[in-house]
Amino acid sequence: MPITMTKFIFWTGIYNAGLALTLTCPPFYRLLGLNIPAPLWGWLLAGFLAYTSAILILASRDLRRRASMVYWESMLRYIAALLLIPAGLFGDLGLIAVPLGLGDLAIGLVYMFGLPKELGASHSDLIWDRID
């Protein structure tokens, strides 16, 4: 049974919720090898992830009306990948940041190219929220 964009978006929203919960507990994310310099930054990221989690889960309930929010989320995923991969490889964030960044890149690509295909909409329509 192929996975639909709706299910994929829902489960990536759940994934974001799990990341948000992880980032609220410094001993846990340090155990995983993630080195966030101060708990405040982890909590700030957790809040951001909780918000995007809610957006993705709600978008999955009515994808046609909310697809542009998911499309814009793909751009956030690219930014996350651009920050996480080098910080994991060359900074002190921890090597676990590399697979997290690669995951964000993959998810962003699925959003950006899967949504137009599933909805029969153009990239421009998704950017400007012009889906019929």
Side-chain angles (χ1 to χ4, degrees):
M1 174 164 96
I3 188 164
T4 63
M5 282 301 295
T6 300
K7 288 180 186 176
F8 182 78
I9 291 165
F10 173 81
W11 285 109
T12 56
I14 297 297
Y15 169 72
N16 277 15
L19 288 175
L21 286 173
T22 300
L23 290 174
T24 61
C25 185
F28 187 64
Y29 64 71
R30 286 188 184 119
L31 182 68
L32 295 173
L34 193 58
N35 181 32
I36 298 175
L40 173 68
W41 295 111
W43 299 332
L44 184 64
L45 289 170
F48 171 76
L49 286 165
Y51 176 78
T52 60
S53 174
I55 291 295
L56 291 169
I57 291 168
L58 291 172
S60 73
R61 295 179 67 196
D62 189 353
L63 189 55
R64 181 154 288 281
R65 279 193 20 210
R66 298 175 180 147
S68 65
M69 292 185 287
V70 178
Y71 192 86
W72 280 97
E73 166 83 7
S74 71
M75 295 179 212
L76 292 174
R77 298 280 182 169
Y78 299 148
I79 293 167
L82 283 172
L83 295 172
L84 287 170
I85 295 169
L89 289 174
F90 309 113
D92 61 354
L93 192 57
L95 283 176
I96 191 155
V98 176
L100 291 172
L102 291 171
D104 278 329
L105 177 62
I107 291 168
L109 289 169
V110 171
Y111 288 167
M112 185 168 274
F113 295 101
L115 283 170
K117 184 177 178 182
E118 181 148 322
L119 298 173
S122 70
H123 292 278
S124 177
D125 288 341
L126 288 160
I127 287 172
W128 300 109
D129 194 26
R130 292 182 291 188
I131 299 179
D132 301 333

